[in-house]
Amino acid sequence: MTQVEIPKRSLAAKHAISTLFQEKNDIDIYIEDTAFGYEKLFTILLSRIFKDKYRIKKVFPLGGRGEVIRHHSNESSKRPFLYIIDGDLFLLTGDTVESKQGLYRLPCYCIENILCDHESLIEVLDEEESCRNIQDLRNNFNYQDWEMKNKDKLFKLFIEYAISKILNPQKKTVAFKVSNLVSCDHGAIDDTKLQCRIDDIRSSVISVSSQEIYDSTRAKVLSSFECSSITELSTVSGKDYLFPLLKTRAKSTVKTKISDIRPLAKVIIRHNVYY
């Protein structure tokens, strides 16, 4: 039996679909994320940010940083528009793309970095827990302890990822599952597994360059970070690293079957987030 390929919208069509919603939107907003749930998340978040200025009923995923930037460069609409891109590893490697009229680069790795608000997660856990009060949950979750055990380790790892992106871009980095770096159910990075991961990334980089080039690149990445106003955790992928770790810690605090999307949606709905 011949398999029929389901037709997909072209990138031009994805961009043009905004014309169908001009009566509902006062501004056309385009994002990278095409994954399930992100269109709604961005719509809720941005409608809150622009609530006193623009009516927003829908945002438009284009699928990829490059496509968002390219469409912004070719934009000629007389309507208000905004294109949003992630910070990604470019926050550490150096980015030739800066925020400008109609183009906004998130000041963190991705939208999940903004949404990983631990107090909001505590509120979600409070709804899931039938007996303990919210202060007990806050104490058991102990975000400060989680941050102390993970912040420096994750930053150290993402420095190596940034170096690899520059010198050995074909090497798999952020896509490496953070679950491979933990040994417990409390959302904490294991020191031994982390060091093995760092050694693997580092040796791969040196094998295609040299120790001298690696050292000089590392110095430049660290210097660039130190001259910036971003924090260590803002350089770490919220989607692939921070949120999975926090979700693991949440599940060790309260027995729950929360999904990835539900807590994020609750965070947006409950909190006004401005950047």
Side-chain angles (χ1 to χ4, degrees):
M1 183 176 179
T2 304
Q3 185 175 1
V4 178
E5 185 176 351
I6 299 174
K8 296 181 180 179
R9 288 194 185 98
S10 67
L11 289 170
K14 288 180 181 178
H15 184 265
I17 198 172
S18 61
T19 59
L20 301 177
F21 292 86
Q22 289 185 356
E23 291 185 1
K24 295 183 178 180
N25 286 340
D26 295 329
I27 181 173
D28 299 326
I29 300 180
Y30 305 92
I31 62 173
E32 295 184 39
D33 301 271
T34 58
F36 176 77
Y38 281 84
E39 179 184 318
K40 182 175 181 178
L41 289 176
F42 271 93
T43 300
I44 296 172
L45 175 60
L46 294 168
S47 65
R48 300 195 76 175
I49 292 175
F50 292 115
K51 65 179 181 179
D52 296 325
K53 189 170 185 180
Y54 296 116
R55 181 174 44 120
I56 302 169
K57 298 297 182 182
K58 183 178 177 63
V59 301
F60 308 99
L62 295 180
R65 194 179 208 256
E67 290 304 323
V68 175
I69 294 170
R70 182 171 68 83
H71 279 291
H72 170 263
S73 298
N74 296 328
E75 182 61 74
S76 59
S77 175
K78 295 181 180 180
R79 284 171 51 83
F81 59 83
L82 178 63
Y83 291 77
I84 301 174
I85 57 174
D86 295 338
D88 292 327
L89 284 173
F90 293 102
L91 293 172
L92 291 172
T93 63
D95 200 347
T96 57
V97 180
E98 299 288 345
S99 295
K100 62 182 74 173
Q101 185 70 33
L103 177 67
Y104 182 64
R105 186 190 69 182
L106 292 174
C108 50
Y109 195 99
C110 57
I111 193 67
E112 284 85 353
N113 290 67
I114 297 175
L115 302 178
C116 284
D117 178 85
H118 63 279
E119 283 297 330
S120 297
L121 287 172
I122 293 297
E123 290 186 29
V124 174
L125 296 182
D126 188 42
E127 289 189 0
E128 300 285 325
E129 171 59 47
S130 58
C131 297
R132 288 175 291 169
N133 63 45
I134 193 169
Q135 188 55 50
D136 286 340
L137 295 175
R138 185 177 288 110
N139 292 339
N140 289 334
F141 186 81
N142 198 343
Y143 175 80
Q144 288 70 29
D145 177 71
W146 176 87
E147 184 178 281
M148 181 183 68
K149 290 179 177 177
N150 288 287
K151 183 176 72 172
D152 292 342
K153 295 175 186 178
L154 289 170
F155 179 66
K156 183 179 179 182
L157 176 62
F158 271 72
I159 288 294
E160 299 299 325
Y161 283 174
I163 298 168
S164 183
K165 181 177 178 62
I166 296 170
L167 300 177
N168 189 27
Q170 70 273 16
K171 177 73 173 179
K172 182 180 180 180
T173 55
V174 181
F176 184 85
K177 292 185 179 299
V178 70
S179 58
N180 294 324
L181 300 175
V182 299
S183 299
C184 66
D185 62 354
H186 298 294
I189 297 293
D190 179 272
D191 288 335
T192 301
K193 291 183 176 182
L194 174 67
Q195 194 58 54
C196 287
R197 177 62 175 157
I198 287 176
D199 290 344
D200 175 56
I201 295 293
R202 185 176 297 165
S203 62
S204 295
V205 168
I206 293 173
S207 70
V208 298
S209 55
S210 68
Q211 182 70 53
E212 183 180 5
I213 293 174
Y214 167 84
D215 290 340
S216 63
T217 303
R218 190 174 195 278
K220 290 178 182 177
V221 169
L222 287 171
S223 177
S224 176
F225 169 77
E226 291 166 0
C227 292
S228 72
S229 59
I230 57 178
T231 64
E232 287 91 343
L233 286 183
S234 67
T235 68
V236 176
S237 172
K239 178 179 181 179
D240 297 306
Y241 281 73
L242 300 182
F243 186 72
L245 290 174
L246 286 169
K247 187 178 70 169
T248 298
R249 190 161 183 104
K251 288 188 173 183
S252 72
T253 304
V254 169
K255 290 183 179 180
T256 176
K257 295 181 180 180
I258 55 175
S259 67
D260 286 346
I261 289 297
R262 184 181 171 196
L264 293 181
K266 285 179 177 287
V267 170
I268 295 174
I269 291 169
R270 286 203 181 100
H271 292 266
N272 286 311
V273 183
Y274 295 94
Y275 253 86

